[in-house]
Amino acid sequence: MKTKITLKHIARELEVSISTVSKALKNSSEISADTIEKVQAFAKLYNYRPNNLAISLKSRRTNNIGVIIPDIVHYFFTTVFRGIEHYSKERGYNVIACVSDESLEKEVINMELLANGSVDGFIMALSAETQKKNHFDHLSQVRDYGIPFVLFDRVTDEIECDKVLINDQEAAFLAVKKFIENGRKKIALITTEDYFSVSKGRESGYRQALETFGLPVDEKLILRLPFTDLDNGKVDEFFNTHGIDAVICVNEIFAVHCMNLVQQKGVKVPEEMEFIGFTDGILSKYAKPGLTSMAQHGFKMGQVAAKMLIHRIENTQDEEEEPYRTEIIKSTIIERESTINGITVL
Amino acid sequence: MKTKITLKHIARELEVSISTVSKALKNSSEISADTIEKVQAFAKLYNYRPNNLAISLKSRRTNNIGVIIPDIVHYFFTTVFRGIEHYSKERGYNVIACVSDESLEKEVINMELLANGSVDGFIMALSAETQKKNHFDHLSQVRDYGIPFVLFDRVTDEIECDKVLINDQEAAFLAVKKFIENGRKKIALITTEDYFSVSKGRESGYRQALETFGLPVDEKLILRLPFTDLDNGKVDEFFNTHGIDAVICVNEIFAVHCMNLVQQKGVKVPEEMEFIGFTDGILSKYAKPGLTSMAQHGFKMGQVAAKMLIHRIENTQDEEEEPYRTEIIKSTIIERESTINGITVL
DNA sequence: TTGTAGGCGTTATCAA
DNA sequence: TTGATAACGCCTACAA
């Protein structure tokens, strides 16, 4: 087992000083061509690689980005992660990935752990519990230490920072608009508990569309489900009682689940009931019928978040603070067979 | 903006030496109760946290694990990742996640990058290209430096190291056995190019089962698809020509895709054609009909891999090398509606 | 009981 | 052109 070689080893072997070696490896003009060649040849031979830790300690830069997401087995978050990873690598940053498991405590622990020198900045989507309890001390604290962070998707108004969002409200509005143009009258919304920022936005777009186009907002047409453990009884009753002819769901699991359920009862999709989901993931694509979805462009979102963060990391030094920005990623509709394709252009 | 506080700051402020502070924070018996209290109070007040980098540099331990997987937007890999992350956090390790994108080059770059002090060990599934080209220098090199690693799922016989696998061959055998017991005669296999270790194992189990139960192995019943960009023409022809009455697919995407396709042509699943997939992911669950799948228990796999790695990290010091182990995670069948539920116990 | 000194691997300043 | 020295933040053997 070879041991990792250091500057010191090279210096000793070549009978020069450590600083000479360091400079030679950087092609410093202070060093003679001879020495440079000798040192570099030796370094190459023994496959010298500088120790990241030492460099980080010295430079106060880790070139690591901490990503904290509520769940990794989740199409949207992994897609965003992919975008973050992709852009970050391009710019020479690694990604340390942590999962908060929808728990505030884990979010805090992960953040504190990484904040002590492991990471130059954070990109995160808040856990359910964090949004529910409105507890953001960990964010303010990290900011106090001058560590920048970017929130995406699951954000809060209480903290000022860079954010990346989709136009949830507008997207929901457009989805409902499409239903209305297709002649639907009883448009249901299936959503989560309303402490999620995204659900809130989507619900508000839903209401706004109904009002705008002169349809009554019927609270009984709004079904709130927990985001795990779908209760079929409740869903079943919902679909049995209200004469629903179109459904917008805040995620694709709700949508596909409900679509399967009503089809089992003989309802024809899309003829008798149309469906639109959010998150254009793998489920939407392989559902039967294919689920029309509002695509959230997670990859792009991740790229943008990483770009904002790295920009801030690399410009946070001396200059005066730039104002925080909120980037909106436009959601687009991906039409499949769960809706009737009119001439509407969204 | 507060700046991060260090031992030095505390020492200066309290007019003691740095080492006194260091010891006091560790409740060293060398230090007087008075000083300990004073130091700890101050540290708490100013929210002192030791710098991870400095500790790592000193201790030669990062408490980071590098995970390199081919793709993150992929149910099985994220599930494994979840297991790794879960176990690692429990043991005080963070996870640095890298995506190789099925590219050998990216796999090598990521590995070299992290090997220079960022990580105490690796857990990885080989990229498609790595398996295809049989190029493993990066693995041997890392091992030469004494950095342990564990391979899971996508492994190679050419490198000796700890491995975590599922019993691919046996699982495929059992799946085919189930078909045969259900009276199926024309059992097709839909797989990938055969440089994937998992596909190889599954194919071999498929062949073995046919032979064992006296059915002919018909090469025309084996369809090899690229793992992206499914070509419907080819698949269509495959199903049109061979009188197939049961299909085993090496992943759930192939399975659901084909199931949708044949259903569109009026084939009744499972009555006329049964399906079994691998990877019991979200697609299997929400497909219509629900897809019977060989579950790979990714979470468990991740936990086991992390456990093996951490064990090796923490025992690699002085003692003589322990022999490498290969852990097998037993795949189990999750029966849904795409197969006919006989009395068979697998 | 407290402090000094050296080291982890690197970089940067300044002196030779 | 090269080298000695100090520093990044922490730990620890040893000296006071």
Side-chain angles (χ1 to χ4, degrees):
Chain A
M1 172 177 133
K2 311 174 215 166
T3 168
K4 271 244 140 198
I5 195 175
T6 68
L7 292 185
K8 198 197 252 184
H9 294 130
I10 304 183
R12 197 184 303 146
E13 213 58 38
L14 261 39
E15 301 189 301
V16 293
S17 77
I18 293 179
S19 51
T20 301
V21 176
S22 172
K23 289 170 188 164
L25 288 172
K26 300 195 142 48
N27 288 310
S28 162
S29 58
E30 292 180 19
I31 306 295
S32 71
D34 258 21
T35 316
I36 289 185
E37 196 185 346
K38 197 174 57 175
V39 169
Q40 294 193 351
F42 190 92
K44 176 146 198 189
L45 181 62
Y46 286 93
N47 196 27
Y48 169 78
R49 292 279 182 284
N51 180 311
N52 296 333
L53 290 174
I55 292 180
S56 293
L57 182 59
K58 182 78 189 158
S59 66
R60 291 134 173 300
R61 270 297 183 69
T62 64
N63 279 277
N64 286 159
I65 290 177
V67 173
I68 304 179
I69 51 182
D71 184 5
I72 182 94
V73 187
H74 183 299
Y75 183 85
F76 174 64
F77 288 131
T78 50
T79 311
V80 175
F81 182 89
R82 195 78 191 68
I84 295 173
E85 217 263 351
H86 191 263
Y87 185 86
S88 302
K89 265 289 143 48
E90 229 170 53
R91 298 288 303 270
Y93 287 78
N94 283 312
V95 173
I96 300 189
C98 296
V99 178
S100 68
D101 243 339
E102 303 289 8
S103 137
L104 169 59
E105 192 196 344
K106 287 196 190 172
E107 191 174 292
V108 172
I109 291 177
N110 280 321
M111 212 167 173
E112 290 191 342
L113 207 65
L114 296 185
N116 303 130
S118 300
V119 126
D120 297 334
F122 291 95
I123 296 175
M124 48 198 299
L126 299 173
S127 82
E129 200 189 351
T130 308
Q131 291 207 317
K132 192 171 182 179
K133 295 196 176 161
N134 266 282
H135 191 288
F136 308 114
D137 290 359
H138 50 310
L139 297 182
S140 351
Q141 194 168 355
V142 160
R143 211 229 325 272
D144 281 349
Y145 287 125
I147 303 175
F149 57 88
V150 176
L151 293 182
F152 74 89
D153 192 60
R154 303 251 206 103
V155 307
T156 172
D157 288 339
E158 313 230 340
I159 295 283
E160 285 195 24
C161 64
D162 290 323
K163 293 168 190 168
V164 191
L165 295 171
I166 68 162
N167 52 343
D168 282 304
Q169 185 169 347
E170 190 186 352
F173 184 97
L174 291 173
V176 174
K177 178 160 174 268
K178 180 177 172 65
F179 285 150
I180 292 174
E181 288 172 345
N182 282 355
R184 304 296 172 174
K185 300 286 180 206
K186 292 286 204 173
I187 301 169
L189 170 69
I190 301 188
T191 182
T192 63
E193 304 297 335
D194 68 353
Y195 47 80
F196 279 116
S197 56
V198 291
S199 298
K200 227 179 289 181
R202 289 167 198 173
E203 180 171 337
S204 129
Y206 164 82
R207 289 172 185 276
Q208 194 193 331
L210 292 179
E211 281 162 15
T212 304
F213 297 106
L215 282 185
V217 175
D218 180 354
E219 298 297 331
K220 288 199 292 297
L221 289 183
I222 299 179
L223 178 63
R224 288 176 213 288
L225 297 176
F227 58 94
T228 50
D229 296 324
L230 300 182
D231 172 3
N232 275 342
K234 206 169 152 193
V235 179
D236 218 51
E237 197 205 322
F238 181 73
F239 279 106
N240 281 337
T241 30
H242 304 109
I244 292 159
D245 58 12
V247 186
I248 168 170
C249 297
V250 298
N251 62 49
E252 63 173 1
I253 294 197
F254 285 2
V256 171
H257 182 81
C258 295
M259 213 163 65
N260 285 347
L261 206 103
V262 301
Q263 285 185 107
Q264 210 124 41
K265 307 198 297 184
V267 175
K268 289 213 168 8
V269 178
E271 296 80 359
E272 299 169 11
M273 197 183 291
E274 294 185 79
F275 277 86
I276 296 183
F278 270 79
T279 315
D280 180 46
I282 198 167
L283 267 185
S284 303
K285 191 168 166 194
Y286 290 101
K288 275 199 57 176
L291 177 68
T292 295
S293 267
M294 304 307 297
Q296 295 174 78
H297 305 293
F299 190 83
K300 174 98 183 285
M301 206 154 168
Q303 285 182 308
V304 169
K307 186 170 181 179
M308 288 172 95
L309 181 65
I310 292 175
H311 176 80
R312 211 165 270 283
I313 289 172
E314 300 187 345
N315 295 282
T316 201
Q317 325 290 43
D318 18 47
E319 321 166 27
E320 75 293 4
E321 280 301 282
E322 282 182 38
Y324 292 119
R325 289 184 309 142
T326 295
E327 290 265 355
I328 307 290
I329 308 290
K330 276 240 171 192
S331 176
T332 53
I333 192 167
I334 308 294
E335 302 210 28
R336 297 204 180 80
E337 300 78 42
S338 70
T339 50
I340 292 167
N341 209 327
I343 40 166
T344 315
V345 179
L346 284 189
Chain B
M1 170 176 134
K2 311 174 216 168
T3 167
K4 271 245 141 196
I5 195 175
T6 69
L7 292 185
K8 197 197 250 183
H9 293 130
I10 303 184
R12 197 184 304 146
E13 214 58 38
L14 262 38
E15 300 187 302
V16 293
S17 78
I18 292 178
S19 59
T20 302
V21 177
S22 172
K23 289 169 189 166
L25 287 173
K26 300 196 142 49
N27 287 308
S28 162
S29 59
E30 293 180 16
I31 306 294
S32 72
D34 258 22
T35 315
I36 289 185
E37 197 186 346
K38 197 174 60 175
V39 169
Q40 294 194 351
F42 190 93
K44 177 145 198 191
L45 181 62
Y46 285 94
N47 196 27
Y48 169 78
R49 293 279 182 287
N51 180 312
N52 296 332
L53 289 174
I55 291 181
S56 293
L57 181 59
K58 179 82 190 152
S59 67
R60 291 135 172 298
R61 269 297 183 69
T62 64
N63 279 277
N64 286 157
I65 290 177
V67 174
I68 305 180
I69 51 182
D71 184 5
I72 181 93
V73 187
H74 183 299
Y75 183 84
F76 174 64
F77 289 130
T78 50
T79 311
V80 175
F81 182 89
R82 197 76 190 68
I84 296 173
E85 216 263 349
H86 192 264
Y87 185 85
S88 302
K89 264 291 143 47
E90 230 170 51
R91 298 288 303 271
Y93 287 77
N94 283 311
V95 173
I96 300 189
C98 296
V99 178
S100 68
D101 242 341
E102 303 289 8
S103 137
L104 169 60
E105 191 196 344
K106 286 196 190 174
E107 191 174 293
V108 172
I109 291 177
N110 280 320
M111 212 165 172
E112 291 192 340
L113 207 64
L114 296 184
N116 304 130
S118 300
V119 127
D120 297 333
F122 291 94
I123 296 175
M124 47 198 300
L126 299 173
S127 83
E129 200 190 349
T130 308
Q131 292 207 315
K132 191 171 182 178
K133 295 196 176 161
N134 265 283
H135 191 287
F136 307 114
D137 289 359
H138 50 309
L139 297 181
S140 351
Q141 192 166 356
V142 160
R143 211 228 326 273
D144 281 349
Y145 286 125
I147 303 176
F149 56 89
V150 176
L151 293 183
F152 73 90
D153 192 60
R154 303 248 206 106
V155 307
T156 173
D157 288 339
E158 314 231 339
I159 295 284
E160 286 193 24
C161 64
D162 290 324
K163 293 168 190 168
V164 190
L165 294 173
I166 69 164
N167 52 343
D168 282 304
Q169 185 169 345
E170 189 186 354
F173 184 97
L174 291 173
V176 174
K177 177 159 173 269
K178 181 179 172 65
F179 284 150
I180 292 173
E181 288 171 344
N182 281 356
R184 303 296 174 174
K185 300 286 180 208
K186 290 286 202 173
I187 301 169
L189 169 69
I190 301 189
T191 181
T192 63
E193 304 296 336
D194 68 353
Y195 47 80
F196 279 115
S197 55
V198 292
S199 299
K200 227 179 288 181
R202 288 167 198 174
E203 180 171 337
S204 128
Y206 163 83
R207 289 174 187 274
Q208 195 193 328
L210 293 180
E211 282 163 14
T212 303
F213 298 106
L215 281 186
V217 175
D218 180 353
E219 298 296 333
K220 288 199 291 299
L221 289 183
I222 299 178
L223 178 63
R224 290 177 210 287
L225 297 176
F227 58 96
T228 50
D229 295 325
L230 301 183
D231 173 0
N232 275 341
K234 205 169 153 192
V235 179
D236 218 50
E237 198 205 320
F238 181 73
F239 280 106
N240 281 338
T241 30
H242 303 111
I244 292 160
D245 58 13
V247 185
I248 169 170
C249 298
V250 298
N251 62 49
E252 62 172 1
I253 294 196
F254 285 2
V256 171
H257 184 80
C258 294
M259 213 163 65
N260 285 347
L261 206 100
V262 301
Q263 285 186 106
Q264 209 124 43
K265 306 200 296 188
V267 175
K268 288 212 170 6
V269 177
E271 296 81 359
E272 299 169 9
M273 196 183 292
E274 294 185 80
F275 277 86
I276 295 182
F278 271 79
T279 314
D280 180 48
I282 197 167
L283 266 185
S284 303
K285 190 167 166 194
Y286 290 102
K288 273 198 59 174
L291 177 69
T292 294
S293 266
M294 305 306 298
Q296 296 173 75
H297 304 292
F299 190 83
K300 175 100 182 285
M301 204 153 169
Q303 285 181 309
V304 169
K307 187 170 182 179
M308 288 172 94
L309 181 66
I310 291 176
H311 176 79
R312 211 164 270 283
I313 289 172
E314 300 186 346
N315 295 283
T316 199
Q317 325 289 41
D318 16 46
E319 322 166 27
E320 76 292 8
E321 280 302 281
E322 284 181 37
Y324 292 119
R325 289 184 309 143
T326 295
E327 290 265 356
I328 306 290
I329 307 291
K330 276 240 172 193
S331 175
T332 53
I333 192 166
I334 308 293
E335 302 210 28
R336 297 205 181 78
E337 300 77 41
S338 71
T339 50
I340 292 166
N341 210 328
I343 39 166
T344 316
V345 179
L346 282 190

